[in-house]
């Protein structure tokens, strides 16, 4: 299991998935990176590292990219709703 700072429990076709984002870290070149992923049980379905100019931007972009992936994949819901309540950037 990763070490997330934020998580969201999602459902898809009766199965539970855990969306997570780890704490943003400096990349050593003046930018920041945030790892975001999706777990189904112990199996990691998605893992991406997204960069930004600061920690907030990298976190927001990571969640936005994850949302785009989830919507494109289709069928994911949050609290029974198709609106995943994630940022669009």
């Amino acid at each position: 299991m990763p070490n997330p700072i934020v998580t969201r429990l999602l459902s898809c076709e009766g199965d539970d998935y855990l969306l997570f984002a780890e704490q943003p870290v400096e990349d050593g070149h003046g930018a920041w990176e945030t790892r975001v992923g999706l777990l189904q049980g112990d199996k990691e379905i998605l893992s991406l590292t997204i960069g930004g100019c600061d920690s907030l931007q990298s976190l927001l972009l990571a969640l936005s990219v994850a949302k785009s992936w989830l919507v494109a994949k289709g069928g994911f819901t949050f609290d029974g709703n198709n609106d995943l309540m994630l940022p669009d950037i």
Side-chain angles (χ1 to χ4, degrees):
M1 169 77 170
N3 187 20
I5 59 165
V6 294
T7 61
R8 171 150 298 159
L9 185 61
L10 303 173
S11 297
C12 185
E13 299 178 2
D15 293 324
D16 288 336
Y17 294 81
L18 184 69
L19 177 67
F20 68 87
E22 293 183 345
Q23 183 169 336
V25 295
E26 290 183 85
D27 71 355
H29 303 285
W32 289 76
E33 296 177 334
T34 299
R35 181 170 170 255
V36 65
L38 185 68
L39 299 173
Q40 183 182 22
D42 291 335
K43 183 178 178 188
E44 198 164 270
I45 306 298
L46 172 70
S47 178
L48 303 167
T49 301
I50 307 296
C53 66
D54 60 23
S55 59
L56 179 60
Q57 185 187 43
S58 71
L59 177 60
L60 291 173
L61 287 173
L63 292 172
S64 180
V65 168
K67 179 182 181 179
S68 295
W69 186 88
L70 292 163
V71 168
K73 204 77 164 142
F76 286 93
T77 61
F78 169 60
D79 199 24
N81 191 326
N82 290 335
D83 183 355
L84 302 178
M85 306 285 280
L86 295 169
D88 286 314
I89 296 179

